[in-house]
Amino acid sequence: MAKHHVSVTLNGEPTEFLCSTRQTLLDVLRDELNLTGSKEGCASGDCGACSVMLDGDLVCSCLVLGVEAQSKPIETVEGLAQGDHLHPLQRKFLEHAALQCGICTPGILVAAKELLKRNPDPTEEEIRYWLAGNLCRCTGYNKIVEAVMDAAREMRGA
Ligand code: FES
Ligand code: FES
């Protein structure tokens, strides 16, 4: 079957890929572009492990087709760190031990980064509400929320 040629901006870099009509953005990222940070937890839009930013929207990449990304900017967890410098959220997740198996972590980091962009000083309730679509079977969520609050504090310079 003929493949589609798709051009996007991926983590700030012009990027092209070929994909089939039915291939999800998640599969394109992982299988065609070797960006395996985004995880497949459910493939049905329920767990958030595959969360990426697409054209300014937080989406489940398992529910988006690769061809739908044409001409759009995509941001994945691989875009958070700048060279050797981890994003404050990444550092705080490590400091707070806010991950265990790590399957949920990339999606939560992408989602939390967008939250702090929209709301640099979220309450605990606001963090829990924003991250409600990101399921974690390991941590019990408290450490995740603490890490996000701590990163927000640091990013505000508080
Ligand atoms: S893998 Fe996409 S929401 Fe679970
Ligand atoms: S750390 Fe295992 S699912 Fe969240």
Side-chain angles (χ1 to χ4, degrees):
M1 192 188 300
K3 295 218 168 188
H4 302 274
H5 177 248
V6 179
S7 302
V8 300
T9 304
L10 181 56
N11 296 325
E13 296 292 329
T15 304
E16 300 179 3
F17 57 82
L18 295 174
C19 67
S20 67
T21 306
R22 298 167 60 104
Q23 211 166 0
T24 66
L25 180 57
L26 177 61
D27 286 344
V28 167
L29 291 170
R30 293 181 55 85
D31 300 338
E32 309 297 336
L33 299 171
N34 292 321
L35 294 182
T36 55
S38 304
K39 301 290 188 266
E40 182 176 288
C42 66
S44 57
D46 294 311
C47 75
C50 62
S51 300
V52 301
M53 295 301 298
L54 176 66
D55 203 17
D57 292 324
L58 182 63
V59 300
C60 294
S61 59
C62 71
L63 297 183
V64 177
L65 293 173
V67 291
E68 292 182 87
Q70 172 64 39
S71 304
K72 294 176 181 168
I74 304 168
E75 188 178 316
T76 70
V77 70
E78 286 87 353
L80 262 68
Q82 299 299 314
D84 290 340
H85 297 282
L86 294 180
H87 188 280
L89 278 164
Q90 292 172 306
R91 273 194 289 100
K92 293 302 179 184
F93 268 60
L94 289 172
E95 286 175 26
H96 287 266
L99 65 154
Q100 290 178 35
C101 80
I103 294 290
C104 69
T105 312
I108 291 180
L109 288 170
V110 170
K113 184 182 176 209
E114 181 62 15
L115 168 64
L116 299 188
K117 184 174 154 195
R118 297 184 187 200
N119 178 3
D121 190 10
T123 63
E124 178 182 337
E125 187 179 13
E126 287 168 334
I127 294 170
R128 288 185 186 275
Y129 186 80
W130 182 265
L131 295 179
N134 293 85
L135 305 184
C136 175
R137 65 182 181 180
C138 306
T139 65
Y141 298 101
N142 286 345
K143 290 181 176 184
I144 291 172
V145 173
E146 287 164 12
V148 174
M149 294 198 86
D150 200 9
R153 265 193 298 275
E154 180 179 301
M155 291 167 71
R156 291 195 310 275

